[in-house]
Coordinates of all heavy atoms in Angstrom, one line a residue:
M1 N 123.2 123.2 78.8 CA 122.3 122.0 78.8 C 123.0 120.8 78.2 O 123.8 121.0 77.2 CB 121.0 122.3 77.9 CG 120.1 121.1 77.8 SD 118.6 121.5 77.0 CE 117.8 122.6 78.2
P2 N 122.8 119.6 78.7 CA 123.6 118.4 78.2 C 123.2 118.2 76.8 O 122.1 118.4 76.3 CB 123.1 117.3 79.1 CG 121.8 117.8 79.8 CD 121.9 119.3 79.8
A3 N 124.2 117.7 76.0 CA 124.0 117.3 74.6 C 124.4 115.9 74.4 O 124.9 115.5 73.4 CB 124.8 118.3 73.7
A4 N 124.1 115.1 75.4 CA 124.3 113.6 75.2 C 123.2 113.0 74.5 O 122.0 113.3 74.8 CB 124.5 113.0 76.6
P5 N 123.4 112.1 73.6 CA 122.3 111.4 72.9 C 121.5 110.6 73.9 O 122.0 110.0 74.8 CB 123.0 110.4 72.0 CG 124.4 111.0 71.7 CD 124.7 111.7 73.0
L6 N 120.1 110.7 73.7 CA 119.2 110.0 74.6 C 118.8 108.7 74.1 O 118.7 108.5 72.8 CB 118.0 110.9 74.8 CG 118.1 112.2 75.5 CD1 116.9 113.1 75.4 CD2 118.6 112.0 77.0
P7 N 118.6 107.7 74.9 CA 118.2 106.4 74.4 C 116.7 106.5 73.9 O 116.0 107.3 74.3 CB 118.2 105.5 75.7 CG 118.4 106.4 76.8 CD 118.8 107.7 76.4
R8 N 116.4 105.6 72.9 CA 115.1 105.6 72.2 C 114.0 105.6 73.2 O 113.0 106.3 73.1 CB 115.0 104.5 71.2 CG 113.7 104.3 70.6 CD 113.6 103.3 69.5 NE 114.5 103.7 68.4 CZ 114.1 104.5 67.4 NH1 112.8 105.0 67.4 NH2 114.9 104.8 66.4
N9 N 114.0 104.7 74.2 CA 112.9 104.6 75.1 C 112.7 105.9 75.9 O 111.5 106.3 76.2 CB 113.1 103.4 76.1 CG 114.3 103.5 77.0 OD1 115.3 104.1 76.6 ND2 114.1 103.0 78.2
E10 N 113.8 106.6 76.3 CA 113.6 107.8 77.0 C 113.0 108.9 76.1 O 112.2 109.7 76.5 CB 115.0 108.3 77.5 CG 115.1 109.7 78.0 CD 114.3 109.9 79.3 OE1 113.9 108.8 79.9 OE2 114.0 111.0 79.7
I11 N 113.5 108.9 74.8 CA 112.9 109.9 73.8 C 111.4 109.6 73.7 O 110.6 110.5 73.8 CB 113.6 109.8 72.5 CG1 115.1 110.1 72.6 CG2 112.9 110.7 71.5 CD1 115.9 109.7 71.4
E12 N 111.0 108.4 73.5 CA 109.6 108.0 73.3 C 108.8 108.4 74.5 O 107.7 109.0 74.4 CB 109.4 106.5 73.0 CG 110.1 106.0 71.8 CD 109.3 106.4 70.5 OE1 108.3 107.1 70.6 OE2 109.7 105.9 69.4
N13 N 109.4 108.2 75.7 CA 108.7 108.6 76.9 C 108.5 110.1 77.0 O 107.4 110.6 77.3 CB 109.5 108.1 78.1 CG 108.8 108.4 79.5 OD1 107.6 108.2 79.6 ND2 109.6 108.8 80.4
R14 N 109.5 110.8 76.7 CA 109.4 112.3 76.8 C 108.5 112.8 75.7 O 107.8 113.8 75.9 CB 110.8 112.9 76.6 CG 111.8 112.5 77.7 CD 111.5 113.2 79.0 NE 111.8 114.6 78.8 CZ 113.0 115.2 78.9 NH1 114.0 114.4 79.1 NH2 113.1 116.5 78.7
L15 N 108.4 112.2 74.5 CA 107.5 112.6 73.5 C 106.0 112.5 73.9 O 105.2 113.2 73.3 CB 107.8 111.9 72.2 CG 109.1 112.3 71.5 CD1 109.2 111.5 70.2 CD2 109.2 113.8 71.2
S16 N 105.8 111.6 74.9 CA 104.4 111.5 75.3 C 103.9 112.8 75.9 O 102.7 113.0 76.1 CB 104.3 110.3 76.3 OG 105.0 110.6 77.5
E17 N 104.8 113.6 76.3 CA 104.5 114.9 76.9 C 104.5 116.0 75.9 O 104.2 117.2 76.2 CB 105.5 115.3 78.0 CG 105.5 114.2 79.2 CD 106.8 114.3 79.9 OE1 107.6 115.3 79.7 OE2 107.1 113.4 80.8
L18 N 104.7 115.7 74.6 CA 104.8 116.6 73.5 C 103.9 116.2 72.4 O 104.3 115.6 71.4 CB 106.3 116.7 73.0 CG 107.3 117.3 74.0 CD1 108.7 117.0 73.6 CD2 107.1 118.8 74.2
P19 N 102.6 116.4 72.6 CA 101.6 115.9 71.6 C 101.9 116.3 70.2 O 102.2 117.5 69.9 CB 100.3 116.6 72.1 CG 100.5 116.9 73.5 CD 101.9 117.2 73.7
G20 N 101.8 115.3 69.3 CA 102.1 115.6 67.8 C 103.5 115.5 67.4 O 103.8 115.4 66.2
W21 N 104.4 115.4 68.4 CA 105.8 115.3 68.0 C 106.1 113.8 67.9 O 105.7 113.0 68.7 CB 106.7 115.9 69.1 CG 106.7 117.4 69.0 CD1 105.8 118.3 69.6 CD2 107.7 118.2 68.4 NE1 106.2 119.6 69.3 CE2 107.3 119.6 68.6 CE3 108.9 118.0 67.6 CZ2 108.1 120.6 68.1 CZ3 109.6 119.0 67.1 CH2 109.2 120.3 67.4
T22 N 106.9 113.4 66.9 CA 107.3 112.0 66.6 C 108.8 111.9 66.5 O 109.5 112.8 66.1 CB 106.5 111.5 65.4 OG1 106.9 112.3 64.2 CG2 105.0 111.6 65.5
L23 N 109.2 110.7 66.7 CA 110.6 110.3 66.4 C 110.8 109.6 65.1 O 110.1 108.6 64.9 CB 111.1 109.4 67.6 CG 112.6 108.9 67.4 CD1 113.6 110.1 67.5 CD2 112.9 107.9 68.5
E24 N 111.6 110.3 64.2 CA 111.7 109.7 62.9 C 113.2 109.7 62.5 O 113.8 110.8 62.3 CB 110.9 110.5 61.8 CG 109.4 110.4 62.1 CD 108.7 111.4 61.1 OE1 109.3 111.8 60.1 OE2 107.5 111.7 61.4
E25 N 113.8 108.5 62.6 CA 115.2 108.4 62.1 C 116.1 109.4 62.8 O 116.7 110.3 62.2 CB 115.4 108.5 60.6 CG 114.7 107.4 59.9 CD 114.8 107.5 58.4 OE1 115.5 108.4 57.9 OE2 114.1 106.8 57.7
D26 N 116.2 109.3 64.1 CA 117.1 110.2 64.9 C 116.8 111.7 64.8 O 117.7 112.5 64.8 CB 118.6 110.0 64.5 CG 119.1 108.7 65.1 OD1 118.7 108.3 66.2 OD2 120.0 108.1 64.5
R27 N 115.5 112.0 64.5 CA 115.1 113.4 64.5 C 113.7 113.4 65.2 O 112.9 112.5 65.0 CB 114.9 113.9 63.1 CG 116.2 113.8 62.2 CD 116.0 114.4 60.8 NE 115.8 115.9 60.9 CZ 116.9 116.7 60.9 NH1 118.1 116.2 60.9 NH2 116.7 118.0 60.9
I28 N 113.4 114.5 65.9 CA 112.0 114.7 66.3 C 111.4 115.7 65.4 O 112.0 116.7 65.0 CB 111.9 115.1 67.8 CG1 112.6 116.4 68.1 CG2 112.4 114.0 68.7 CD1 112.3 116.9 69.5
T29 N 110.1 115.4 65.0 CA 109.4 116.2 64.0 C 108.0 116.5 64.4 O 107.4 115.8 65.2 CB 109.4 115.4 62.7 OG1 108.5 114.3 62.8 CG2 110.8 115.0 62.2
R30 N 107.5 117.6 63.9 CA 106.1 118.0 64.2 C 105.7 118.9 63.0 O 106.5 119.8 62.6 CB 106.0 118.8 65.5 CG 104.7 119.4 65.8 CD 103.7 118.4 66.3 NE 102.6 119.0 67.2 CZ 101.5 119.5 66.8 NH1 101.2 119.6 65.5 NH2 100.6 119.9 67.7
T31 N 104.5 118.7 62.5 CA 104.0 119.7 61.5 C 102.7 120.3 62.2 O 101.8 119.6 62.6 CB 103.6 119.0 60.2 OG1 104.7 118.4 59.6 CG2 102.9 120.0 59.3
Y32 N 102.8 121.7 62.2 CA 101.7 122.4 62.7 C 100.8 122.9 61.6 O 101.4 123.3 60.5 CB 102.2 123.6 63.5 CG 102.7 123.3 64.9 CD1 104.1 123.1 65.1 CD2 101.9 123.2 66.0 CE1 104.6 122.8 66.3 CE2 102.4 122.9 67.2 CZ 103.7 122.7 67.4 OH 104.3 122.4 68.7
R33 N 99.5 123.0 61.8 CA 98.6 123.6 60.8 C 98.1 124.9 61.3 O 97.7 125.0 62.5 CB 97.4 122.6 60.5 CG 96.6 123.0 59.3 CD 95.7 121.8 58.9 NE 96.5 120.7 58.4 CZ 97.1 120.6 57.2 NH1 97.0 121.7 56.4 NH2 97.8 119.6 56.9
L34 N 98.1 125.9 60.5 CA 97.8 127.3 61.0 C 96.5 127.8 60.2 O 96.2 127.3 59.2 CB 99.0 128.2 60.6 CG 100.2 128.2 61.6 CD1 99.9 128.7 62.9 CD2 100.9 126.9 61.5
P35 N 95.9 128.8 60.8 CA 94.6 129.3 60.1 C 94.8 129.9 58.8 O 93.9 130.0 58.0 CB 94.1 130.3 61.2 CG 94.8 130.1 62.4 CD 96.1 129.5 62.1
S36 N 96.0 130.4 58.5 CA 96.3 131.1 57.2 C 97.8 131.0 56.9 O 98.6 130.7 57.8 CB 95.8 132.5 57.3 OG 96.7 133.3 58.2
H37 N 98.1 131.4 55.7 CA 99.5 131.5 55.3 C 100.2 132.5 56.1 O 101.3 132.3 56.6 CB 99.6 131.8 53.8 CG 101.0 131.8 53.3 ND1 101.9 130.7 53.4 CD2 101.8 132.8 52.9 CE1 103.1 131.0 52.9 NE2 103.1 132.3 52.6
F38 N 99.5 133.7 56.3 CA 100.2 134.8 57.1 C 100.4 134.3 58.5 O 101.5 134.6 59.1 CB 99.3 136.0 57.0 CG 100.0 137.2 57.6 CD1 101.0 137.9 56.9 CD2 99.6 137.7 58.8 CE1 101.6 139.0 57.4 CE2 100.2 138.8 59.4 CZ 101.2 139.5 58.7
A39 N 99.5 133.6 59.1 CA 99.7 133.1 60.5 C 100.8 132.1 60.5 O 101.6 132.1 61.5 CB 98.4 132.4 60.9
A40 N 100.9 131.3 59.5 CA 102.0 130.3 59.4 C 103.4 131.1 59.3 O 104.4 130.7 60.0 CB 101.9 129.4 58.2
A41 N 103.4 132.1 58.5 CA 104.7 132.9 58.4 C 105.0 133.6 59.8 O 106.2 133.6 60.2 CB 104.5 134.0 57.3
G42 N 104.0 134.1 60.5 CA 104.3 134.7 61.8 C 104.8 133.7 62.8 O 105.7 134.0 63.6
F43 N 104.2 132.5 62.8 CA 104.6 131.4 63.7 C 106.1 131.1 63.4 O 106.9 130.9 64.3 CB 103.7 130.2 63.5 CG 103.9 129.1 64.4 CD1 104.1 129.3 65.8 CD2 104.1 127.8 63.9 CE1 104.3 128.2 66.7 CE2 104.3 126.7 64.8 CZ 104.4 126.9 66.2
T44 N 106.4 131.0 62.1 CA 107.8 130.7 61.7 C 108.8 131.7 62.3 O 109.8 131.3 62.8 CB 107.9 130.7 60.1 OG1 107.0 129.7 59.6 CG2 109.3 130.3 59.7
V45 N 108.4 133.0 62.2 CA 109.3 134.0 62.7 C 109.5 133.8 64.3 O 110.6 133.9 64.8 CB 108.8 135.4 62.4 CG1 109.6 136.5 63.2 CG2 108.8 135.6 60.9
H46 N 108.4 133.5 64.9 CA 108.4 133.3 66.4 C 109.3 132.1 66.7 O 110.2 132.2 67.6 CB 107.0 133.1 66.9 CG 106.9 133.3 68.4 ND1 105.7 133.4 69.1 CD2 107.9 133.4 69.4 CE1 106.0 133.5 70.4 NE2 107.3 133.6 70.6
V47 N 109.2 131.0 66.0 CA 110.0 129.9 66.2 C 111.4 130.2 66.0 O 112.3 129.8 66.8 CB 109.5 128.7 65.4 CG1 110.5 127.5 65.4 CG2 108.1 128.2 65.8
A48 N 111.7 131.0 64.9 CA 113.1 131.3 64.7 C 113.7 132.2 65.8 O 114.9 132.0 66.2 CB 113.2 132.1 63.3
Q49 N 112.9 133.0 66.4 CA 113.3 133.8 67.5 C 113.7 132.9 68.7 O 114.7 133.1 69.3 CB 112.2 134.8 67.9 CG 112.6 135.7 69.1 CD 111.4 136.5 69.5 OE1 110.2 136.1 69.6 NE2 111.6 137.8 69.7
I50 N 112.8 131.9 69.0 CA 113.1 131.0 70.1 C 114.4 130.2 69.8 O 115.2 130.0 70.7 CB 111.9 130.0 70.3 CG1 110.7 130.8 70.8 CG2 112.2 128.9 71.2 CD1 109.4 130.1 70.7
Q51 N 114.5 129.8 68.6 CA 115.7 129.0 68.2 C 117.0 129.8 68.3 O 118.0 129.2 68.8 CB 115.5 128.4 66.7 CG 114.4 127.4 66.6 CD 114.3 126.8 65.3 OE1 113.8 125.7 65.2 NE2 114.7 127.4 64.2
D52 N 117.0 131.0 68.0 CA 118.2 131.8 68.2 C 118.4 132.1 69.7 O 119.6 132.0 70.2 CB 118.0 133.2 67.5 CG 118.4 133.1 66.0 OD1 118.9 132.1 65.6 OD2 118.2 134.1 65.3
E53 N 117.3 132.2 70.5 CA 117.5 132.4 71.9 C 118.1 131.1 72.5 O 119.0 131.2 73.3 CB 116.1 132.6 72.6 CG 116.2 132.7 74.1 CD 114.8 132.5 74.7 OE1 113.8 132.9 74.1 OE2 114.7 132.0 75.8
L54 N 117.7 130.0 72.1 CA 118.2 128.7 72.6 C 119.5 128.3 71.9 O 120.2 127.4 72.4 CB 117.2 127.6 72.4 CG 115.9 127.7 73.2 CD1 114.9 126.5 72.8 CD2 116.1 127.8 74.7
N55 N 119.9 129.0 70.9 CA 121.0 128.6 70.0 C 120.8 127.1 69.6 O 121.8 126.3 69.7 CB 122.3 128.8 70.7 CG 123.5 128.6 69.8 OD1 123.4 128.9 68.6 ND2 124.6 128.1 70.3
H56 N 119.7 126.8 69.2 CA 119.4 125.4 68.8 C 118.3 125.5 67.6 O 117.3 126.1 67.8 CB 118.8 124.6 69.9 CG 118.9 123.1 69.7 ND1 120.2 122.5 69.7 CD2 118.0 122.2 69.4 CE1 120.0 121.2 69.4 NE2 118.7 121.0 69.3
H57 N 118.6 125.0 66.5 CA 117.9 125.3 65.3 C 117.4 124.0 64.6 O 118.1 123.1 64.3 CB 118.7 126.1 64.3 CG 119.3 127.3 65.0 ND1 120.4 127.3 65.8 CD2 118.8 128.6 65.0 CE1 120.7 128.6 66.2 NE2 119.7 129.4 65.8
S58 N 116.1 124.0 64.3 CA 115.5 123.0 63.5 C 115.6 123.3 62.0 O 115.9 124.4 61.6 CB 114.0 122.8 63.9 OG 113.3 124.0 63.4
D59 N 115.3 122.2 61.2 CA 115.0 122.5 59.8 C 113.5 122.9 59.9 O 112.6 122.2 60.3 CB 115.1 121.2 59.0 CG 116.6 120.8 58.8 OD1 117.5 121.6 59.1 OD2 116.8 119.6 58.4
L60 N 113.3 124.2 59.5 CA 112.0 124.8 59.7 C 111.4 125.1 58.3 O 112.0 125.9 57.5 CB 112.2 126.1 60.4 CG 111.1 126.9 61.0 CD1 110.2 126.1 61.8 CD2 111.6 128.1 61.7
T61 N 110.2 124.5 58.0 CA 109.7 124.6 56.7 C 108.3 125.2 56.7 O 107.4 124.7 57.4 CB 109.6 123.2 56.0 OG1 110.8 122.5 56.1 CG2 109.1 123.3 54.6
L62 N 108.2 126.3 55.9 CA 106.9 127.0 55.8 C 106.2 126.5 54.6 O 106.7 126.6 53.5 CB 107.2 128.5 55.7 CG 106.0 129.4 55.4 CD1 104.9 129.3 56.5 CD2 106.4 130.9 55.1
G63 N 104.9 126.1 54.8 CA 104.1 125.7 53.6 C 103.0 126.7 53.5 O 103.0 127.8 54.0
Y64 N 101.9 126.3 52.7 CA 100.8 127.2 52.5 C 100.2 127.6 53.9 O 100.1 128.8 54.2 CB 99.7 126.6 51.6 CG 98.4 127.2 51.7 CD1 98.3 128.6 51.4 CD2 97.3 126.6 52.2 CE1 97.0 129.2 51.5 CE2 96.1 127.2 52.3 CZ 95.9 128.5 52.0 OH 94.7 129.1 52.1
N65 N 99.8 126.6 54.7 CA 99.3 126.9 56.0 C 99.8 125.9 57.0 O 99.2 125.6 58.0 CB 97.7 126.9 56.0 CG 97.2 125.5 55.7 OD1 97.9 124.7 55.1 ND2 95.9 125.3 56.0
T66 N 101.1 125.5 56.8 CA 101.7 124.6 57.7 C 103.1 125.1 58.0 O 103.7 125.9 57.3 CB 101.9 123.2 57.1 OG1 102.6 123.3 55.9 CG2 100.5 122.6 56.8
V67 N 103.6 124.7 59.2 CA 105.0 124.9 59.6 C 105.5 123.6 60.1 O 104.9 123.0 61.1 CB 105.1 126.0 60.7 CG1 106.5 126.1 61.2 CG2 104.6 127.3 60.2
A68 N 106.5 123.1 59.5 CA 107.1 121.8 59.9 C 108.5 122.0 60.5 O 109.3 122.8 60.0 CB 107.3 120.9 58.6
L69 N 108.7 121.3 61.6 CA 110.0 121.3 62.3 C 110.6 119.9 62.3 O 109.8 119.0 62.6 CB 109.8 121.8 63.7 CG 109.3 123.2 64.0 CD1 107.8 123.3 64.1 CD2 110.0 123.8 65.3
S70 N 111.8 119.8 62.1 CA 112.6 118.6 62.2 C 113.9 118.9 62.8 O 114.6 119.8 62.3 CB 112.7 118.0 60.8 OG 113.5 116.8 60.9
V71 N 114.2 118.2 63.9 CA 115.5 118.7 64.6 C 116.1 117.5 65.3 O 115.5 116.5 65.8 CB 115.1 119.7 65.7 CG1 114.2 119.2 66.8 CG2 116.3 120.4 66.3
N72 N 117.5 117.6 65.4 CA 118.3 116.8 66.3 C 119.5 117.7 66.6 O 119.6 118.8 66.2 CB 118.7 115.4 65.7 CG 119.5 115.5 64.4 OD1 120.2 116.5 64.1 ND2 119.5 114.5 63.6
T73 N 120.4 117.1 67.3 CA 121.5 117.9 67.8 C 122.8 117.6 67.0 O 123.4 116.5 67.1 CB 121.8 117.7 69.3 OG1 120.6 118.0 70.0 CG2 122.9 118.6 69.9
H74 N 123.2 118.6 66.2 CA 124.4 118.4 65.4 C 125.6 118.1 66.3 O 126.4 117.2 66.0 CB 124.7 119.6 64.5 CG 123.5 120.2 63.9 ND1 123.4 121.6 63.6 CD2 122.4 119.7 63.5 CE1 122.2 121.8 63.0 NE2 121.6 120.7 62.9
D75 N 125.8 118.8 67.4 CA 126.9 118.7 68.3 C 127.0 117.3 68.9 O 128.0 117.0 69.6 CB 126.9 119.8 69.3 CG 127.1 121.2 68.7 OD1 127.5 121.3 67.6 OD2 126.7 122.1 69.4
A76 N 125.9 116.5 68.8 CA 125.9 115.2 69.4 C 125.8 114.1 68.3 O 125.3 113.0 68.4 CB 124.6 115.0 70.3
G77 N 126.4 114.5 67.1 CA 126.5 113.6 66.0 C 125.1 113.3 65.3 O 124.9 112.2 64.7
G78 N 124.2 114.3 65.4 CA 122.9 114.1 64.8 C 122.0 113.2 65.5 O 121.2 112.4 64.9
K79 N 122.1 113.2 66.8 CA 121.2 112.4 67.7 C 120.3 113.3 68.5 O 120.5 114.5 68.6 CB 122.0 111.5 68.6 CG 123.0 110.5 68.0 CD 122.3 109.5 67.2 CE 123.2 108.5 66.6 NZ 122.6 107.5 65.7
V80 N 119.2 112.7 69.0 CA 118.3 113.5 69.8 C 118.8 113.7 71.2 O 119.2 112.7 71.9 CB 116.9 112.8 69.8 CG1 115.9 113.6 70.7 CG2 116.3 112.8 68.4
T81 N 118.8 114.9 71.7 CA 119.3 115.2 73.1 C 118.2 116.1 73.8 O 117.2 116.5 73.2 CB 120.6 116.0 73.0 OG1 120.3 117.4 72.6 CG2 121.6 115.4 72.1
E82 N 118.5 116.4 75.0 CA 117.7 117.3 75.8 C 117.4 118.6 75.1 O 116.3 119.2 75.3 CB 118.3 117.6 77.2 CG 118.3 116.4 78.1 CD 116.9 116.2 78.7 OE1 116.0 117.0 78.5 OE2 116.7 115.1 79.3
R83 N 118.4 119.1 74.3 CA 118.2 120.4 73.6 C 117.1 120.3 72.6 O 116.4 121.3 72.5 CB 119.6 120.8 73.0 CG 120.7 121.0 74.0 CD 122.0 121.3 73.3 NE 121.9 122.6 72.5 CZ 123.0 123.0 71.8 NH1 124.1 122.3 71.7 NH2 122.9 124.2 71.2
D84 N 116.9 119.2 72.0 CA 115.8 119.1 71.0 C 114.5 119.1 71.7 O 113.5 119.7 71.3 CB 116.0 117.8 70.2 CG 117.4 117.7 69.5 OD1 117.7 118.6 68.7 OD2 118.2 116.8 69.9
L85 N 114.4 118.4 72.8 CA 113.2 118.3 73.6 C 112.8 119.7 74.2 O 111.7 120.0 74.3 CB 113.3 117.2 74.7 CG 113.5 115.8 74.1 CD1 113.9 114.9 75.3 CD2 112.3 115.3 73.4
A86 N 113.9 120.4 74.6 CA 113.6 121.7 75.2 C 113.1 122.7 74.1 O 112.1 123.4 74.4 CB 114.9 122.3 75.8
L87 N 113.6 122.6 72.9 CA 113.1 123.4 71.8 C 111.6 123.0 71.5 O 110.8 123.9 71.4 CB 113.9 123.2 70.6 CG 113.4 123.9 69.3 CD1 113.2 125.4 69.4 CD2 114.3 123.5 68.1
A88 N 111.3 121.7 71.5 CA 110.0 121.3 71.2 C 109.0 121.8 72.3 O 107.9 122.3 71.9 CB 109.9 119.8 71.1
A89 N 109.4 121.8 73.5 CA 108.6 122.3 74.6 C 108.3 123.8 74.5 O 107.2 124.2 74.7 CB 109.2 121.9 75.9
R90 N 109.3 124.5 74.1 CA 109.1 126.0 74.0 C 108.2 126.3 72.8 O 107.3 127.2 72.9 CB 110.5 126.6 73.7 CG 111.4 126.7 74.9 CD 110.9 127.8 75.9 NE 110.8 129.1 75.4 CZ 111.8 130.0 75.3 NH1 113.0 129.6 75.7 NH2 111.7 131.2 74.7
V91 N 108.3 125.5 71.7 CA 107.4 125.7 70.6 C 106.0 125.4 70.9 O 105.1 126.1 70.6 CB 108.0 125.0 69.3 CG1 107.0 125.0 68.2 CG2 109.3 125.5 68.9
M92 N 105.9 124.2 71.6 CA 104.6 123.8 72.0 C 103.9 124.9 72.9 O 102.7 125.1 72.8 CB 104.7 122.5 72.8 CG 103.3 121.9 73.2 SD 103.5 120.3 74.1 CE 104.1 120.9 75.7
A93 N 104.6 125.5 73.7 CA 104.1 126.5 74.6 C 103.5 127.8 73.9 O 102.5 128.4 74.3 CB 105.1 127.0 75.6
V94 N 104.1 128.1 72.7 CA 103.7 129.3 72.0 C 102.7 129.0 70.9 O 102.0 129.9 70.4 CB 104.9 130.2 71.5 CG1 105.8 130.5 72.7 CG2 105.6 129.5 70.4
A95 N 102.6 127.8 70.5 CA 101.8 127.4 69.3 C 100.3 127.9 69.4 O 99.8 128.5 68.5 CB 101.9 125.9 69.1
P96 N 99.7 127.6 70.6 CA 98.3 128.0 70.7 C 98.0 129.5 70.4 O 97.0 129.9 69.8 CB 97.9 127.6 72.1 CG 98.8 126.5 72.5 CD 100.1 126.9 71.8
G97 N 98.9 130.3 70.8 CA 98.8 131.8 70.6 C 98.8 132.1 69.1 O 98.3 133.2 68.8
H98 N 99.2 131.3 68.3 CA 99.3 131.5 66.8 C 98.1 130.8 66.1 O 98.0 130.8 64.9 CB 100.6 131.0 66.2 CG 101.8 131.9 66.6 ND1 102.2 133.0 65.9 CD2 102.6 131.8 67.7 CE1 103.2 133.5 66.5 NE2 103.5 132.9 67.6
G99 N 97.3 130.0 66.9 CA 96.3 129.2 66.3 C 96.8 128.0 65.7 O 96.2 127.3 64.8
A100 N 98.1 127.6 66.1 CA 98.7 126.4 65.5 C 98.3 125.2 66.3 O 98.2 125.2 67.5 CB 100.3 126.6 65.6
R101 N 98.0 124.1 65.5 CA 97.5 122.9 66.1 C 98.1 121.7 65.4 O 98.7 121.8 64.3 CB 96.0 122.8 66.2 CG 95.4 123.0 64.8 CD 93.8 123.0 64.9 NE 93.2 123.3 63.6 CZ 93.2 122.4 62.6 NH1 93.7 121.2 62.7 NH2 92.7 122.8 61.4
Ligands
H2B201 C1 128.1 127.2 67.1 C2 126.7 127.0 67.5 O1 126.6 127.3 68.9 C3 126.2 125.6 67.2 O2 126.5 125.3 65.9 C4 124.7 125.4 67.6 C5 123.8 126.1 66.6 N1 122.5 125.5 66.5 C6 122.4 124.1 66.6 N2 121.3 123.5 66.2 C7 121.1 122.1 66.3 N3 120.0 121.5 65.9 N4 122.1 121.4 66.8 C8 123.3 121.9 67.2 O3 124.2 121.2 67.7 C9 123.5 123.4 67.2 N5 124.6 124.0 67.6

């Protein structure tokens, strides 16, 4: 998958298809709220599995009942690329199954 930095307008356009995800200082971020701490921990493990599968890893933070992701592409100098958006889309697809919103 290409790891070329994307222009801001393209990122913003693509984020319109990723509800809740925002662009903050060359990172895309999203905080999910879960029904319980245990659900949040399980969601964290699932996200880690997806990240290893994609070989693309966010800063993944587990809170009491939240899971926060913040990601850009290190190999592209810390800029947002298709790889970040692909990760966000995969996470978005599995979130409902965990009760994450
Ligand atoms: C060697 C390994 O393939 C690279 O370091 C991978 C691992 N996970 C990664 N994660 C992120 N966010 N950006 C990268 O460029 C990246 N590269």
